[in-house]
Amino acid sequence: MNSKQWIKRLFLTSLIVVVLPVSAIMGFTYYIDPLWNFDHKNKYNDYQIGFDERQQKTNYINSRKKFSYDDLMIGTSRVTYMNEHHFKNKKVFNYSLSSLHIDEYLPYIQYATNKNGKDFNTIFMELYVNSYDASTINTNRDPSTYFQKSEEPFYRITSLFSKSTFDSAVNNYKISKANYYTGPRSYNRDNVGETTYPNDRLQPLWDRFKAAFEDTTTRPFIYDDEYKQKLLAMKRTYPNTKFVVFTDPIPSKRFDLILSNKEQRQAYERWFKDMIEVFGEVYSFQGHTSITTDMNNYFDWFHYYPTVGDKMIAALQHPNEQTDIVRVVTKDNLQKYLHSIYNERDSK
């Protein structure tokens, strides 16, 4: 065998052993696209597990040829179940993220706004009980790490080499092929969170929550003294944007337990006062409503089903037509609102 034949065989062997398998893996990962670095759709990637929503949704923004929206929606994992496409006459992007900390709101709003090329007309923003709890530590990575990675020149290509990304692609392929996911949340390729997760473990989950809550009440509740300033920073950064602030529809049983604690009540009242002073009004989905008193609307004590999200979107757009599930709280009716929710609890 001469040297040319040897080199030729070595090349062919390398091609078969290394290049072709690697190309196949990259091609499959691209086809499924679990990191949302591309914008294609097919029947094998229509179920996507949100394993790293901060990176995925940031990638989603950058993978579109034109990121252009009228409005923004932002909040925690609960709000991922609110379908951005169900707003009428509005193009809304849902940038909601699991365990979103109050310190993360402004950086993600700023990033989306910069990519949009103009201020959003409206920001639909969920603020939630415990977002004002100073003891809740932000353990998430700095938002800039996700922004920078998403914008790295070769990131979309190099991510296809990752074993973890390939493993996620395999999982997404399986659930897309089955058209079913047994976990609490998957997404389609249009940024819509979905679930068919059962709510058959509510009692043990309640026992766990109650024990944890009673444990925390043995220590003083510390309200975040910088909370109002954090809200003001958002408003001052976007003075021409309308903020529609809404609260999480807490199951009434859990809500009543929270308000049974004097310090929690005081913090709750301060929270509403701060929100109203900054934004003027708050859309409250809390208290005893047709949503919160029916545990068929929830799959645990924190998360509601997408059907509830649909009702909330309708209420945010037409609150006067949905008074059974939402109350618009202002400075003028704050005390009346507080008395009503306390009366609802104390009458049970």
Side-chain angles (χ1 to χ4, degrees):
M1 181 186 301
N2 59 41
S3 60
K4 288 184 179 180
Q5 290 176 321
W6 183 83
I7 292 173
K8 185 177 180 180
R9 289 190 177 185
L10 177 62
F11 174 77
L12 290 173
T13 301
S14 300
L15 180 66
I16 295 171
V17 174
V18 179
V19 178
L20 290 180
V22 169
S23 298
I25 290 172
M26 290 179 64
F28 175 77
T29 304
Y30 165 79
Y31 187 63
I32 305 302
D33 187 29
L35 277 171
W36 306 359
N37 274 319
F38 308 93
D39 63 357
H40 57 269
K41 303 177 185 179
N42 59 70
K43 65 180 180 179
Y44 295 121
N45 75 349
D46 56 355
Y47 279 73
Q48 302 263 306
I49 300 173
F51 64 97
D52 188 357
E53 288 170 332
R54 285 164 175 76
Q55 193 66 68
Q56 290 167 292
K57 291 198 175 185
T58 300
N59 293 347
Y60 186 101
I61 290 173
N62 287 313
S63 68
R64 268 54 194 170
K65 293 180 181 179
K66 186 178 181 181
F67 181 78
S68 180
Y69 288 82
D70 303 314
D71 305 321
L72 182 73
M73 182 159 57
I74 192 165
T76 61
S77 56
R78 286 176 289 270
V79 186
T80 63
Y81 297 107
M82 297 176 71
N83 189 332
E84 64 187 47
H85 305 285
H86 287 181
F87 283 92
K88 294 183 179 180
N89 303 317
K90 292 175 177 288
K91 189 178 180 184
V92 182
F93 179 69
N94 191 341
Y95 208 0
S96 299
L97 305 165
S98 294
S99 303
L100 189 70
H101 190 274
I102 190 64
D103 293 341
E104 296 182 282
Y105 276 71
L106 185 54
Y108 284 104
I109 291 173
Q110 289 176 310
Y111 188 78
T113 302
N114 291 338
K115 289 296 178 178
N116 199 45
K118 61 180 180 180
D119 289 358
F120 294 102
N121 296 328
T122 304
I123 295 177
F124 297 94
M125 184 167 69
E126 177 212 39
L127 292 176
Y128 57 97
V129 167
N130 286 349
S131 63
Y132 50 82
D133 186 348
S135 67
T136 302
I137 306 301
N138 181 15
T139 59
N140 300 310
R141 286 189 291 173
D142 190 280
S144 64
T145 61
Y146 299 101
F147 306 153
Q148 291 169 4
K149 176 176 283 190
S150 186
E151 296 187 12
E152 288 176 1
F154 301 105
Y155 166 67
R156 293 206 292 176
I157 302 302
T158 57
S159 68
L160 300 177
F161 287 94
S162 167
K163 182 181 183 302
S164 62
T165 306
F166 174 73
D167 291 340
S168 295
V170 171
N171 288 333
N172 287 348
Y173 168 79
K174 290 179 179 178
I175 62 176
S176 294
K177 187 177 180 180
N179 283 318
Y180 187 75
Y181 179 53
T182 58
R185 179 163 64 257
S186 65
Y187 286 90
N188 64 21
R189 296 293 289 183
D190 294 314
N191 193 34
V192 178
E194 303 170 318
T195 188
T196 55
Y197 203 59
N199 63 352
D200 55 358
R201 296 188 64 251
L202 289 176
Q203 188 56 51
L205 290 174
W206 171 253
D207 294 338
R208 187 185 307 171
F209 169 77
K210 185 178 179 184
F213 178 81
E214 290 174 347
D215 180 62
T216 60
T217 57
T218 61
R219 302 182 296 274
F221 184 90
I222 303 174
Y223 191 94
D224 182 359
D225 288 332
E226 297 181 0
Y227 189 81
K228 184 178 178 181
Q229 292 303 315
K230 294 172 183 178
L231 302 184
L232 282 169
M234 300 181 213
K235 184 63 178 175
R236 288 168 177 166
T237 304
Y238 300 104
N240 298 320
T241 294
K242 179 181 179 180
F243 283 80
V244 176
V245 176
F246 63 96
T247 64
D248 50 326
I250 303 173
S252 58
K253 185 176 179 179
R254 176 176 156 237
F255 188 60
D256 290 347
L257 180 63
I258 292 171
L259 295 184
S260 68
N261 179 270
K262 182 180 179 180
E263 288 186 340
Q264 292 275 3
R265 278 198 186 199
Q266 292 173 342
Y268 185 84
E269 293 175 8
R270 180 177 175 182
W271 177 47
F272 259 82
K273 183 179 179 181
D274 283 347
M275 289 190 292
I276 290 170
E277 287 183 356
V278 174
F279 299 111
E281 62 184 19
V282 177
Y283 288 60
S284 176
F285 290 95
Q286 295 170 344
H288 287 235
T289 73
S290 58
I291 289 176
T292 62
T293 56
D294 185 355
M295 285 309 297
N296 290 318
N297 289 319
Y298 301 85
F299 60 84
D300 61 27
W301 292 92
F302 295 87
H303 297 91
Y304 44 79
Y305 284 109
T307 51
V308 171
D310 293 343
K311 294 177 181 178
M312 293 172 66
I313 288 174
L316 289 174
Q317 295 193 280
H318 303 287
N320 293 333
E321 298 174 11
Q322 307 287 336
T323 55
D324 59 321
I325 65 171
V326 68
R327 284 174 274 194
V328 182
V329 186
T330 65
K331 180 180 179 181
D332 293 336
N333 67 356
L334 174 58
Q335 291 305 315
K336 181 179 178 180
Y337 166 76
L338 293 173
H339 286 311
S340 69
I341 61 173
Y342 295 154
N343 288 337
E344 289 169 355
R345 175 197 173 274
D346 295 338
S347 64
K348 296 298 178 180

